[in-house]
Amino acid sequence: MSPGDFVPISRVFASEAPGTTVRIRGWVLRTRSSGGILFFLLRDRSGVVQVTGRRDALGDAAFDAAEHVQIEGSVAVEGVVAEDRRALDGREVRASRIDVIDAGEPFPIFTDQTEEFLLDQRHLAIRSQESVAIFRVKAELLRAFREFFDREEVVEMTPPILTGNAAEGGAEAFQFDYFGRPGYLSQTAQLYLEALLFPHERVYALTPSFRAEKSRTPRHLTEFLNLEVELAWCDFADLLIFIERMMVDVLHAVAERRPKELTSLGRPPEELLAIRAPFERIRYSEAIDRLTKLGFPVHFGSDLGTAEERALTLESKNPLFVTHYPRELKAFYMLQSRDDPRAVEAADLLGPEGYGEIIGASCRETDIARIKERITQIGAKVDEYEWYLDLRRHGNIPHAGFGLGVERVVRWVLRREHIRDTTPFPRTPSRHTP
Ligand code: ATP
Ligand code: MG
């Protein structure tokens, strides 16, 4: 069989009429044989189909070889498309020829294994149908974001990952030796995006962020994909409207393009299509009041953790903006609120159903003295931020932006218990292999 002849398995169901001879190839998802008939479930990138092979049609040698193929072994098949009510989606391929590419060793993964074992076997576990569906949805989400930015004339940038200062203070930065000086893995691309905003006005970056957070919560990874956006001439109202439009647009695109995967993972696409702007907005102070009524021991100045964020959105189907956080809780570059000096013009977008923060957004402080004051307050050195302060010295303008945790969105959209299920090779405090 020559390589050009093969069709994707999806074509067996879509365009190939019963009676047509096709060539397909892929990996064996399931295998059994009885009474001189062999059954394979064969998977490729496009789908899964049942293949049947009869000893009398294949010949003894080929039948015996095919019978020895393990789960996840690879084969090429030539056969006829046939209707069969008992088969998956009503069709199967009746093989006239099966070439074993690699019979494979016994596959180590089967049902009822521990989470730890499956994480050790992650390089193989990512072949599961569940993983395939998760990462197709994630890819679709990234595509939808890029399409949205394209339409909105937001330009993709490539900020560095290796940096000489820990952007938001040192505690959570991974430090390493950079030729005798300290180097850090990027915690955020934001400061670089702010610099790139002056020549491009509307920029975004989709890059990994690294946080040396020891907190073992189901929503923290030490490496995650951060989608960061920076917009010139943008005030707080504009910022929230941009975020809303983006989320609705992207969620609807994914619902329309991946209904099968969403349904199989427990998220009916209709639920995403029901999400509409505007999202509810509440001030941090109001969130504190609500939480106090629910019995949480919080006061103005308390950080909202997993439990508090969960309580605020457990009953809602739409995301929620919490705005005007106390200045001390937030990063040094956030704009001090003109109507409440204790607060910053910042908003976190909380996912519905208790999933918690998915976006951190703010207007950026334009007053250089205030930025310096806050840098000193967090215990950092002003001279390390001189290049950033230059941005306020040359054509300073109002601007705003946000960072969205891609895996946080996938976790909510796909109702995953733990964020590690939303990335193929999760990095957590206890694991950086495979
Ligand atoms: P949290 O309070 O949940 O730790 P954060 O306030 O530190 O989040 P930001 O610095 O605003 O988060 O980062 C922007 C976005 O990146 C967050 O809204 C979140 O979606 C995501 N994010 C932050 N930290 C992590 C992490 N450790 N793992 C996965 N995603 C994260
Ligand atoms: Mg954090």
Side-chain angles (χ1 to χ4, degrees), residues 189-203 229-240 242 332-336 338 344-346 361-368 371 387-402:
Q190 187 197 311
L191 305 189
Y192 296 101
L193 288 180
E194 282 193 63
L196 287 159
L197 169 117
F198 291 85
H200 302 284
E201 296 191 28
R202 296 158 76 83
V203 290
V229 177
E230 208 59 39
L231 303 167
W233 315 108
C234 182
D235 68 17
F236 196 53
D238 297 335
L239 177 65
L240 302 198
F242 182 94
F332 70 84
Y333 46 70
M334 295 191 177
L335 180 68
Q336 187 172 9
R338 299 307 180 234
V344 279
E345 303 223 327
S362 74
C363 291
R364 313 311 190 188
E365 183 59 78
T366 46
D367 184 297
I368 204 165
I371 300 178
W387 73 263
Y388 179 73
L389 297 173
D390 273 348
L391 307 179
R392 305 297 186 267
R393 295 183 181 116
H394 304 282
N396 199 4
I397 53 154
H399 62 288
F402 62 90

Side-chain angles (χ1 to χ4, degrees), residues 168 172 187-188 190 209-213 215 217 219-228 303-306 309 329-331 333-334 347-349 356-361 402-409 419 427:
E168 304 197 4
E172 291 181 355
Q187 296 166 287
T188 167
Q190 187 197 311
S209 276
F210 303 87
R211 307 268 170 103
E213 316 192 82
S215 52
T217 75
R219 60 179 209 176
H220 285 93
L221 294 164
T222 53
E223 175 178 346
F224 67 95
L225 199 49
N226 204 351
L227 177 59
E228 293 176 273
D303 207 353
L304 305 183
T306 306
E309 290 184 357
L329 287 183
K330 290 291 181 185
Y333 46 70
M334 295 191 177
D348 283 357
L349 184 68
E357 178 182 340
I358 56 179
I359 292 180
F402 62 90
L404 170 149
V406 172
E407 287 81 10
R408 294 264 180 106
V409 176
I419 195 166
R427 267 67 182 113

Side-chain angles (χ1 to χ4, degrees), residues 152 285 296:
E152 295 287 321
S285 49
F296 285 88

Side-chain angles (χ1 to χ4, degrees), residues 50-219:
Q50 174 170 293
V51 173
T52 54
R54 308 182 73 92
R55 184 178 282 278
D56 51 13
L58 298 173
D60 284 337
F63 186 90
D64 291 343
E67 229 184 355
H68 283 98
V69 175
Q70 302 286 336
I71 287 182
E72 290 302 320
S74 45
V75 298
V77 173
E78 182 177 275
V80 173
V81 176
E83 307 273 4
D84 190 315
R85 275 185 302 107
R86 291 158 303 178
L88 198 72
D89 293 325
R91 285 192 179 183
E92 64 174 15
V93 171
R94 298 198 177 137
S96 49
R97 179 171 169 181
I98 297 179
D99 289 343
V100 176
I101 316 275
D102 175 28
E105 296 178 20
F107 199 60
I109 297 177
F110 36 89
T111 48
D112 296 332
Q113 285 165 323
T114 66
E115 193 65 40
E116 268 318 288
F117 177 82
L118 291 173
L119 286 167
D120 287 338
Q121 299 290 325
R122 192 74 168 188
H123 51 295
L124 299 175
I126 47 170
R127 298 187 191 189
S128 74
Q129 292 299 99
E130 186 184 4
S131 274
V132 169
I134 292 172
F135 298 121
R136 292 296 164 88
V137 171
K138 189 177 185 180
E140 201 67 68
L141 192 72
L142 295 177
R143 183 156 80 105
F145 276 119
R146 285 200 160 102
E147 288 173 354
F148 178 81
F149 295 136
D150 219 33
R151 286 198 298 278
E152 295 287 321
E153 297 181 36
V154 184
V155 189
E156 181 160 12
M157 294 288 136
T158 57
I161 301 300
L162 304 184
T163 69
N165 49 355
E168 304 197 4
E172 291 181 355
F174 281 105
Q175 193 180 331
F176 61 93
D177 174 50
Y178 191 78
F179 305 106
R181 283 171 294 158
Y184 303 90
L185 293 179
S186 172
Q187 296 166 287
T188 167
Q190 187 197 311
L191 305 189
Y192 296 101
L193 288 180
E194 282 193 63
L196 287 159
L197 169 117
F198 291 85
H200 302 284
E201 296 191 28
R202 296 158 76 83
V203 290
Y204 79 96
L206 187 55
T207 50
S209 276
F210 303 87
R211 307 268 170 103
E213 316 192 82
K214 288 226 180 66
S215 52
R216 287 162 204 265
T217 75
R219 60 179 209 176

